[in-house]
Amino acid sequence: MDNPIRRSAAPTTDAELAALEQRLAVRLPDPYRAFLLASNGGVPRRTQFLHENKEGKKRVTWLSHFYPARRDGLIDPDWLDLPTANADRPEGLPAGTVFVADAHFPGNTGKVCVGTEGERAGKVYFRPDVDGKKSTLYRVADSWDEFLTEMTYPERKERAWRDPIEDGDVDGFRDWLGSHRRKLDDGAL
């Protein structure tokens, strides 16, 4: 995966995911399952993605955080986990779709969904907060890996000096400082 995740919950296991699948009555796509086993929710380094609205126009959207399989180790107690996020499914949410993350775009909030069966299996969608009876789903990516890989930085550039700070990576920040010493000394940064 080319989009590091931070602020994840405590690790989960295959057995816990099997129990979650049984509880949600779904089979999670293998790439998404692998993601949960590797990071169990959290915040991706790159958070911006596009969804196609009903007119087929691409809308810039930002992911807040991925839901973990369970609450153990969540940094923010207000964040949802997969069971809670999917407990009260809106009537219009198409079957075989599972909420996996919170997201927002100018003027509204919503949830990222992953398809679990039929023609939607493995595909990623965005569902804005709309009337619960509507079946609104907007296409984001044809696969979980494509979704993670195609996400971008909101500023459209790498945040090489901020990422080590946010991750608590002292050595990484020290390396960045060392490689930019001349620019720092000259006042160019």
Side-chain angles (χ1 to χ4, degrees), residues 14-189:
D14 264 323
E16 289 171 336
L17 290 181
L20 175 65
E21 288 173 323
Q22 187 172 13
R23 180 176 177 182
L24 297 177
V26 299
R27 169 73 177 128
L28 298 173
D30 289 339
Y32 177 64
R33 249 178 151 269
F35 166 79
L36 287 172
L37 289 168
S39 66
N40 198 22
V43 179
R45 184 155 286 156
R46 295 185 317 271
T47 59
Q48 185 171 287
F49 64 94
L50 300 172
H51 77 269
E52 294 176 14
N53 67 13
K54 61 185 171 189
E55 289 88 30
K57 295 182 182 177
K58 296 198 182 251
R59 300 278 318 254
V60 175
T61 313
W62 298 275
L63 192 132
S64 301
H65 61 276
F66 292 112
Y67 305 138
R70 56 187 168 80
R71 300 197 62 75
D72 295 351
L74 272 178
I75 286 182
D76 188 330
D78 293 333
W79 285 3
L80 297 174
D81 57 16
L82 282 163
T84 307
N86 289 282
D88 295 321
R89 292 173 56 86
E91 182 180 319
L93 182 65
T97 334
V98 175
F99 291 137
V100 297
D102 281 342
H104 62 279
F105 64 98
N108 203 354
T109 58
K111 294 184 177 5
V112 174
C113 307
V114 66
T116 61
E117 61 185 51
E119 67 182 34
R120 288 193 179 92
K123 295 181 181 175
V124 180
Y125 299 91
F126 176 70
R127 179 179 170 88
D129 289 333
V130 294
D131 177 346
K133 293 180 182 175
K134 291 185 176 183
S135 62
T136 307
L137 276 183
Y138 297 126
R139 184 200 159 288
V140 174
D142 288 330
S143 72
W144 185 256
D145 292 336
E146 176 187 326
F147 173 58
L148 292 177
T149 301
E150 290 187 0
M151 292 174 88
T152 60
Y153 292 97
E155 302 92 21
R156 299 192 191 280
K157 61 183 178 179
E158 269 193 62
R159 306 176 325 158
W161 63 272
R162 280 191 240 169
D163 290 340
I165 291 171
E166 290 176 357
D167 294 344
D169 179 2
V170 175
D171 291 333
F173 185 63
R174 186 177 295 123
D175 291 345
W176 183 87
L177 282 172
S179 67
H180 290 82
R181 177 158 293 317
R182 175 169 266 181
K183 288 180 184 178
L184 290 167
D185 290 344
D186 293 342
L189 285 178

